[in-house]
Amino acid sequence: MNVQVKIGDFRTEETDAIVVGIFEGGESPSGTFQAVDEAMGGAVQTLLDLGDFKGELKQTSILYTKGAIASPRLALAGLGKLEDFDLESARQAAGKIAQQLLDLGVKSLAIPLPSEASPDAIQATVESSTLAVYQFNQHKTEDLDELKELESITFLVENEASKSVAEKAATLGETIANGTTLARDLSNQPPNHLTPILLAEKAQAVAEATGLKCEIFDQEQLKEKGFRTLLGVSQGSQEEPRFIILEHVPEGEEKDTVVFVGKGVTFDSGGLSLKSGSGMMDMKHDMSGAAAVLGAMQVIGHLKPDLHVVGLIAATENLPSATAQRPGDVVKSYGGKTIEILNTDAEGRLILADALGYAANYNPKAVIDLATLTGAVITALGHFACGMLGTDEDLMEKIKAAAKKTHERVWQLPLWDDYDEGLKSKVADVKNIGDGTAGTIAGAAFLKKFAEDYPWVHLDIAGTAWDVKGSSYIPTGATGYGVRLLVQLVQDWG
Ligand code: BES
Ligand code: MN
Ligand code: ZN
């Protein structure tokens, strides 16, 4: 998507569609509504008077201008009630109209910016309209000429001052949308096209393009360094595992370190504790935590915040074979704790045990892991919020504040010590499943044992990483959940 800002007038701008946001009842904070209505000879007011368009959130209407202005279409986007308006309304409205115009085959659109449009709203508009028209067509070979693409968005402003403000906001929105698109592309990628090695190569390419530091541990190095839980999950597969380290090092003296950790299971069959056929159908997405971390690190590489940010990704397949890990095996984690593996399908927490152990080496102020860890989180929260659990209330408050801004909702679940009881093993320090109750909390209670040295929060994104319905800027498939949230958290750190 090409996004630009220019000084111009909606009456003379030649584009496929001029898009104007309208509040319920035709209320408008600026003169935009009056100007548009006037240029259209009162046609917009007529729509409102007839009740055909009320300006309700996500309501749309397209008028054909027939020469009244230079562009052939005037697209009205309902913004809802003025008093209810927030950034999420802007996203939903912009996403909806972008999707609808895409369906019509529109390639370019222009939005006249009201003088009081906030930078946040401009950024949100760029993000949501880009994300709304996202498609994953990489593996299609037929009817390619029928594929539609929205190619450009132009913001029209009145003067140089508003131009430079809008440009900054639009560029930020573009950068963040690109990071989210990267996460979606990775998560949507079929598992034979995204092995752990290919994921590591992608991370390396992102690092080179953005100036991040990147280090990859291959199988031999993982053995030397003692990443035994990661190797254990990987041992049933022909594909080698990888551990990926991305790092943004700010200029100047010592800065706080924040570590993001992503679960990167490029395909989860369950291993010997094999999933059902339908149960493994979506399991190419089981690296969505890793995708979110990589997407966020790409954005951070561009933004270069004044914070030391580290992205860690444990990447592996989970497959059954003669060499696969068995239920009953005991494995020692990177940090030294032993784990009795009673269900090989609880593999995410195993690879995270090593990754969380490794994170301690950075002496971090915060560690946040993102993982498609449990089906149980979908039972608890559906697809509207991720499960958040952790050991540090302040960090969770920070995450809640960021989530409120980006509308990537988080919902805190308890992590009382009482839940540790179910994880006791007869033969090892801990077992990798609980007592069958509170599955999401049991998963987090397991992780907590490997994250004792720093403030830590776990985000169980199994429900929010794909299959989300009802949002205008989240099409089917991978959502890219977490990229905007992590970036917001970094931006607001200080
Ligand atoms: N990747 C799955 C979690 C998952 C399941 C995500 C369904 C999205 C949809 C994870 O590795 C897993 O299999 N978890 C098990 C844990 C259980 C064996 C304790 C689960 O949720 O059933
Ligand atoms: Mn599993
Ligand atoms: Zn899994």
Side-chain angles (χ1 to χ4, degrees):
M1 179 83 70
N2 169 33
V3 181
Q4 51 171 336
V5 181
K6 72 181 205 195
I7 297 173
D9 189 296
F10 73 90
R11 298 171 192 84
T12 50
E13 181 70 14
E14 286 179 38
T15 180
D16 292 341
I18 297 287
V19 175
V20 176
I22 295 190
F23 287 100
E24 229 172 285
E27 252 180 296
S28 171
S30 68
T32 313
F33 173 82
Q34 276 75 19
V36 169
D37 188 45
E38 205 170 291
M40 290 295 289
V44 183
Q45 189 61 54
T46 304
L47 267 186
L48 288 164
D49 291 344
L50 291 173
D52 294 3
F53 178 82
K54 297 191 177 76
E56 287 159 356
L57 185 60
K58 293 210 261 184
Q59 198 184 16
T60 60
S61 190
I62 292 167
L63 302 180
Y64 295 90
T65 66
K66 299 182 80 175
I69 61 176
S71 296
R73 299 179 190 85
L74 173 68
L76 307 179
L79 300 175
K81 292 200 175 72
L82 179 57
E83 66 263 30
D84 295 340
F85 187 71
D86 61 10
L87 288 180
E88 182 60 7
S89 330
R91 288 187 204 105
Q92 291 298 343
K96 184 77 189 186
I97 197 74
Q99 230 169 35
Q100 197 157 337
L101 291 171
L102 174 76
D103 283 346
L104 294 178
V106 161
K107 289 190 175 358
S108 64
L109 59 85
I111 307 174
L113 273 185
S115 50
E116 71 285 349
S118 72
D120 284 352
I122 297 168
Q123 179 195 331
T125 302
V126 171
E127 287 172 9
S128 59
S129 38
T130 308
L131 295 175
V133 300
Y134 171 86
Q135 301 164 70
F136 186 74
N137 292 325
Q138 289 179 28
H139 301 286
K140 300 233 162 125
T141 66
E142 288 178 349
D143 304 326
L144 294 181
D145 47 336
E146 281 166 33
L147 296 178
K148 290 166 177 166
E149 194 189 346
L150 181 60
E151 289 164 2
S152 84
I153 299 179
T154 304
F155 289 100
L156 301 172
V157 295
E158 279 168 16
N159 52 46
E160 284 296 341
S162 31
K163 185 175 172 216
S164 74
V165 173
E167 256 169 1
K168 241 180 107 187
T171 304
L172 180 59
E174 231 183 326
T175 306
I176 294 174
N178 289 344
T180 310
T181 297
L182 169 63
R184 285 181 179 180
D185 279 346
L186 290 168
S187 181
N188 283 329
Q189 201 59 259
N192 60 330
H193 291 268
L194 191 80
T195 60
I197 289 178
L198 292 171
L199 181 59
E201 283 171 6
K202 186 73 205 178
Q204 218 138 21
V206 167
E208 261 157 47
T210 57
L212 292 168
K213 277 182 29 181
C214 179
E215 202 178 351
I216 312 280
F217 298 158
D218 64 16
Q219 185 155 289
E220 275 314 301
Q221 291 165 299
L222 290 171
K223 278 184 193 154
E224 277 161 34
K225 293 175 196 294
F227 284 69
R228 287 168 295 261
T229 60
L230 174 57
L231 289 162
V233 171
S234 152
Q235 77 190 35
S237 167
Q238 301 274 10
E239 296 290 337
E240 282 195 19
R242 288 290 183 268
F243 190 75
I244 303 164
I245 305 167
L246 290 163
E247 205 172 342
H248 162 69
V249 186
E251 310 259 313
E253 53 247 59
E254 293 271 290
K255 301 280 157 53
D256 283 359
T257 300
V258 173
V259 180
F260 301 139
V261 179
K263 169 180 173 181
V265 175
T266 59
F267 183 70
D268 181 13
S269 73
L272 286 179
S273 311
L274 196 64
K275 287 184 184 295
S276 67
S278 64
M280 66 175 90
M281 211 126 73
D282 281 334
M283 284 302 133
K284 66 171 183 183
H285 293 301
D286 208 20
M287 33 55 69
S288 297
V293 169
L294 186 44
M297 290 308 293
Q298 173 175 288
V299 179
I300 286 157
H302 283 298
L303 299 184
K304 308 200 189 309
D306 203 20
L307 185 71
H308 182 209
V309 189
V310 180
L312 303 178
I313 291 170
T316 179
E317 290 189 325
N318 185 26
L319 291 178
S321 77
T323 60
Q325 178 161 264
R326 292 146 290 243
D329 280 359
V330 171
V331 177
K332 188 179 272 182
S333 68
Y334 180 88
K337 283 196 174 132
T338 57
I339 304 165
E340 182 185 16
I341 292 149
L342 289 178
N343 189 321
T344 63
D345 197 12
E347 85 297 340
R349 63 197 72 182
L350 294 174
I351 67 172
L352 290 178
D354 272 353
L356 291 170
Y358 189 81
N361 295 335
Y362 294 94
N363 191 23
K365 284 280 184 305
V367 175
I368 298 159
D369 77 71
L370 292 90
T372 48
L373 207 75
T374 64
V377 80
I378 308 174
T379 308
L381 299 172
H383 297 278
F384 300 118
C386 82
M388 175 170 75
L389 310 93
T391 54
D392 192 273
E393 290 297 329
D394 286 347
L395 183 56
M396 286 192 277
E397 287 307 317
K398 277 197 167 96
I399 294 173
K400 280 180 204 169
K404 204 168 163 105
K405 286 193 188 168
T406 66
H407 201 74
E408 292 170 295
R409 286 177 286 191
V410 297
W411 196 259
Q412 190 178 344
L413 298 172
L415 195 52
W416 301 306
D417 292 341
D418 307 60
Y419 293 102
D420 297 347
E421 196 59 33
L423 293 166
K424 288 202 169 135
S425 162
K426 293 199 180 73
V427 298
D429 299 336
V430 63
K431 61 185 167 79
N432 80 328
I433 50 171
D435 61 8
T437 67
T440 301
I441 303 177
F446 175 91
L447 296 176
K448 186 172 76 172
K449 300 200 177 292
F450 302 88
E452 286 169 342
D453 300 334
Y454 42 70
W456 161 77
V457 172
H458 161 63
L459 301 178
D460 191 334
I461 62 167
T464 49
W466 71 92
D467 249 9
V468 172
K469 293 177 189 78
S471 169
S472 73
Y473 60 92
I474 306 182
T476 53
T479 61
Y481 178 97
V483 173
R484 294 184 301 116
L485 178 65
L486 295 181
V487 171
Q488 189 68 53
L489 185 75
V490 166
Q491 285 180 308
D492 295 347
W493 193 257

